[in-house]
Amino acid sequence: MSVVQSVLKIDCSKMPRAPKGHQLKGHLRRGIIELSPGSVILHRTALPIRGRKLVEEIGTRALCAWVLRFMLKNPGNIPPEWWQSEHTDRVCFPSTTYTDPQDREYAYCLEYNGRSRPKQSIILLDENFGPKIPVPVLLEKGPRIYSTC
């Protein structure tokens, strides 16, 4: 499945800021990633699985908050395939996580239906993810990753 429409370069090297009153829990620094057609797929689970467990299974292939922010600013680059399924509520980007004042860990998601303006939401990692909440992941041989170190 091809989901990225053209080659995109996104800088994932910086640590994102946490919302006021929250803390950054984890962020996978990748440097500048180059996403090209076919380099990203949506990982869906057939059965509900805790977000924390899903993040462990996917590992370093999950995309981070910088990719989400890029998509929010550039909705024309949101792959239409992500929203053609009636079973997709939102797409989650769990390689950047935060904690709220109650110490609950969460990740940001992208909500979009292809018609309205995309928006950002959150999901707690203790919630169940399932087929309605896929995670965009890098294919093993997909993008080139440039280190900025």
Side-chain angles (χ1 to χ4, degrees):
M1 171 195 335
S2 172
V3 294
V4 176
Q5 303 305 311
S6 60
V7 176
L8 307 171
K9 288 187 179 182
I10 302 171
D11 185 357
C12 299
S13 63
K14 300 178 207 162
M15 296 298 279
R17 280 190 249 154
K20 189 173 183 174
H22 297 222
Q23 291 191 353
L24 180 67
K25 173 84 174 193
H27 173 68
L28 180 62
R29 287 185 172 191
R30 283 206 165 91
I32 297 173
I33 62 171
E34 185 177 282
L35 303 178
S36 60
S39 67
V40 177
I41 61 168
L42 289 181
H43 177 86
R44 294 179 190 272
T45 61
L47 299 172
I49 182 174
R50 293 267 185 234
R52 202 174 301 284
K53 178 77 172 155
L54 180 62
V55 170
E56 287 174 20
E57 287 182 11
I58 294 172
T60 61
R61 296 181 306 132
L63 296 178
C64 70
W66 291 116
V67 177
L68 166 64
R69 288 181 183 167
F70 178 87
M71 298 291 183
L72 287 168
K73 289 181 181 178
N74 302 281
N77 287 307
I78 298 172
E81 292 90 347
W82 289 10
W83 313 106
Q84 289 174 347
S85 168
E86 63 190 48
H87 303 295
T88 300
D89 291 333
R90 52 193 164 168
V91 175
C92 185
F93 293 79
S95 71
T96 305
T97 59
Y98 305 88
T99 54
D100 66 12
Q102 291 79 36
D103 206 32
R104 297 176 298 182
E105 191 173 2
Y106 65 92
Y108 281 112
C109 297
L110 174 68
E111 291 187 26
Y112 184 60
N113 61 16
R115 295 178 301 279
S116 62
R117 188 99 181 124
K119 65 181 182 178
Q120 181 175 285
S121 64
I122 65 167
I123 185 167
L124 294 174
L125 294 185
D126 286 331
E127 288 185 33
N128 282 328
F129 285 45
K132 287 189 168 201
I133 307 173
V135 174
V137 297
L138 299 172
L139 291 175
E140 295 298 326
K141 296 183 180 178
R144 289 185 210 112
I145 301 174
Y146 301 101
S147 175
T148 58
C149 300

